[in-house]
Amino acid sequence: MGFLGFCLNDSQEVFIASKESKTISGNPVFNKITWFSGKEKDIWMMNQSHHGARVSEDKWDRLAIVIEKTKSPKVAKFYQFKSGPLKWEEKLEEAPFKVSCFICHPNGPRVIRPNYDSPLDPTTIKDRLKVFFWNLKIKSYGRVIPHKSHTTNDKRLKPPFRWSSKYENEVLKIASCIQCHKEQGFLARGVLTRQNIPTIKFMLAAGKMPPFGFALSNEEKHQLKEFIQGF
Amino acid sequence: MKGVKCLVLFGILAMTAVAHADYECSSYMDKSAKLSVYVNNITDLGDTVVVLESEDEKKTFFGTMFNEGGGLYKKQIVEFYGTNNTLTIVSQPHQCGRGTCDNFATQKILAQLKHDGSTQNFYCNEKKS
């Protein structure tokens, strides 16, 4: 238990090549991730490079997700900051979002998926243990909703935190998927919408979804294909 | 009156024959089938003209286009005049994922034509202005 606590609470960053993220030209994206736990908030910070693993600090995008733990469901606030170290302090200088966070984060922070098979994988054994335990922590949040300030701020942002049109917010309604991808109830992870398609595609292609013990019928596979195509 | 309408239709057909379509689409299944979509082509029968060409035939549909979405994903539905037939065109970014989204990259565009009880799917290219 002491070791588990050490892994969970050690805020030394983990350096990974992402399994999911790729640059526009298909090259690996590198992430440095850490977290800080407070009484009321968990703060996940990430520096992300689309320019290789060894580039100057100003080439890294500095991002954060702050989880308000005292609320039910938990609430997540998303930030993009000017480049800098993974040190949390109030009033860090914010920068515009480079991408809409909600595309990949309809339910707060997501499981960290390093590409351990990559020849560029920089992780150590200790890093891998940390990722394992941090992922348990992330899964323990359950349903996480976006902070209401994102809706207000989106009116002046491009790209916004979340795309707002009716079409981009059409909900995936496939019976097997909505056992978990629903707003409330046991195992609720929040609904998925059309703007989450890039992530849905990755999760299907990587064999992460449907999860162990679940399967899609042929009819559901057809429905999912139509949804992903956009019809 | 009928004569006037015929003249309008022939005029449009002649125009579309030389104009560049806003979308040029090729069928998934039937490589010979091509679809040309002329947006903002206003006639008495709507604002959009769709021409379906295959080895055997050429069909022209007239209808009105409705837009949904816009920021990242776009859906355009053309409801053909006087029928329940439709053409749906959907656009989405080619490259968009965790941490990466090229909002300005070429869009991936698909079209689905539903007419007379059949459904045909197409890949499309958008005319660059």
Side-chain angles (χ1 to χ4, degrees), chain B residues 11-58:
Chain B
I12 290 157
L13 286 174
M15 184 178 68
T16 53
V18 292
H20 289 290
D22 293 279
Y23 295 101
E24 293 281 8
C25 311
S26 304
S27 169
Y28 286 11
M29 305 297 286
D30 175 5
K31 293 293 173 198
S32 71
K34 297 206 181 307
L35 199 66
S36 303
V37 184
Y38 301 86
V39 181
N40 292 324
N41 211 329
I42 297 168
T43 70
D44 290 347
L45 309 180
D47 60 12
T48 305
V49 180
V50 178
V51 180
L52 173 66
E53 284 181 88
S54 65
E55 276 184 351
D56 317 326
E57 58 181 349
K58 181 172 180 177

Side-chain angles (χ1 to χ4, degrees), chain A residues 53-96:
Chain A
R54 287 175 183 76
V55 288
S56 57
E57 190 179 85
D58 63 319
K59 298 269 196 241
W60 292 76
D61 293 322
R62 186 165 52 156
L63 308 156
I65 304 176
V66 176
I67 303 292
E68 295 180 11
K69 294 191 285 188
T70 55
K71 297 185 174 160
S72 181
K74 293 179 175 57
V75 173
K77 193 163 182 189
F78 294 75
Y79 296 92
Q80 177 143 8
F81 297 116
K82 293 272 166 66
S83 300
L86 292 180
K87 297 250 172 21
W88 178 258
E89 52 189 87
E90 296 297 332
K91 298 194 175 156
L92 284 170
E93 191 178 355
E94 290 189 46

Side-chain angles (χ1 to χ4, degrees), chain B residues 40-92:
Chain B
N40 292 324
N41 211 329
I42 297 168
T43 70
D44 290 347
L45 309 180
D47 60 12
T48 305
V49 180
V50 178
V51 180
L52 173 66
E53 284 181 88
S54 65
E55 276 184 351
D56 317 326
E57 58 181 349
K58 181 172 180 177
K59 285 184 180 174
T60 306
F61 306 93
F62 297 89
T64 302
M65 180 175 274
F66 300 91
N67 289 285
E68 293 179 27
L72 190 64
Y73 290 82
K74 194 165 71 171
K75 185 178 189 178
Q76 296 166 297
I77 302 170
V78 184
E79 293 181 358
F80 296 140
Y81 180 81
T83 68
N84 290 326
N85 299 332
T86 57
L87 174 72
T88 305
I89 302 169
V90 293
S91 312
Q92 56 180 274

Side-chain angles (χ1 to χ4, degrees), chain A:
Chain A
M1 282 306 286
F3 182 69
L4 173 65
F6 170 73
C7 286
L8 278 171
N9 290 315
D10 174 11
S11 62
Q12 181 67 42
E13 67 198 36
V14 164
F15 185 18
I16 64 161
S18 172
K19 193 176 181 83
E20 181 171 349
S21 302
K22 294 282 179 281
T23 67
I24 297 293
S25 49
N27 290 319
V29 166
F30 293 90
N31 296 328
K32 295 174 181 175
I33 304 167
T34 191
W35 79 301
F36 312 97
S37 185
K39 195 175 174 187
E40 297 183 346
K41 292 177 181 174
D42 281 347
I43 297 161
W44 294 89
M45 291 190 81
M46 178 165 80
N47 268 338
Q48 184 172 68
S49 170
H50 290 233
H51 310 282
R54 287 175 183 76
V55 288
S56 57
E57 190 179 85
D58 63 319
K59 298 269 196 241
W60 292 76
D61 293 322
R62 186 165 52 156
L63 308 156
I65 304 176
V66 176
I67 303 292
E68 295 180 11
K69 294 191 285 188
T70 55
K71 297 185 174 160
S72 181
K74 293 179 175 57
V75 173
K77 193 163 182 189
F78 294 75
Y79 296 92
Q80 177 143 8
F81 297 116
K82 293 272 166 66
S83 300
L86 292 180
K87 297 250 172 21
W88 178 258
E89 52 189 87
E90 296 297 332
K91 298 194 175 156
L92 284 170
E93 191 178 355
E94 290 189 46
F97 292 133
K98 281 195 176 168
V99 59
S100 297
C101 312
F102 191 80
I103 292 173
C104 298
H105 294 275
N107 194 57
R110 285 178 57 209
V111 164
I112 301 162
R113 294 192 175 85
N115 186 358
Y116 292 134
D117 298 328
S118 165
L120 301 171
D121 171 38
T123 56
T124 62
I125 290 172
K126 188 182 169 195
D127 287 343
R128 294 184 182 203
L129 279 169
K130 272 203 230 178
V131 167
F132 177 78
F133 287 115
W134 288 3
N135 283 341
L136 291 180
K137 176 73 183 167
I138 288 168
K139 286 182 179 176
S140 77
Y141 290 139
R143 179 73 182 111
V144 181
I145 58 171
H147 194 278
K148 59 186 178 187
S149 64
H150 289 303
T151 309
T152 315
N153 295 341
D154 271 357
K155 290 168 189 159
R156 59 180 172 78
L157 297 180
K158 194 165 186 184
F161 165 76
R162 174 181 184 164
W163 296 95
S164 60
S165 76
K166 187 179 159 194
Y167 179 60
E168 285 153 332
N169 285 283
E170 275 180 6
V171 172
L172 180 71
K173 291 175 181 166
I174 293 168
S176 293
C177 305
I178 62 174
Q179 290 185 59
C180 300
H181 295 291
K182 57 188 178 183
E183 286 304 304
Q184 291 176 330
F186 181 63
L187 291 176
R189 314 290 297 171
V191 297
L192 294 173
T193 62
R194 196 171 297 286
Q195 64 192 289
N196 304 127
I197 283 175
T199 309
I200 295 170
K201 280 163 72 175
F202 167 77
M203 296 298 281
L204 291 167
K208 306 289 183 191
M209 285 288 150
F212 181 73
F214 290 80
L216 298 178
S217 67
N218 286 338
E219 172 62 18
E220 287 178 324
K221 284 178 187 170
H222 176 72
Q223 290 171 351
L224 187 56
K225 188 180 169 194
E226 289 258 301
F227 186 80
I228 287 172
Q229 284 183 329
F231 298 117

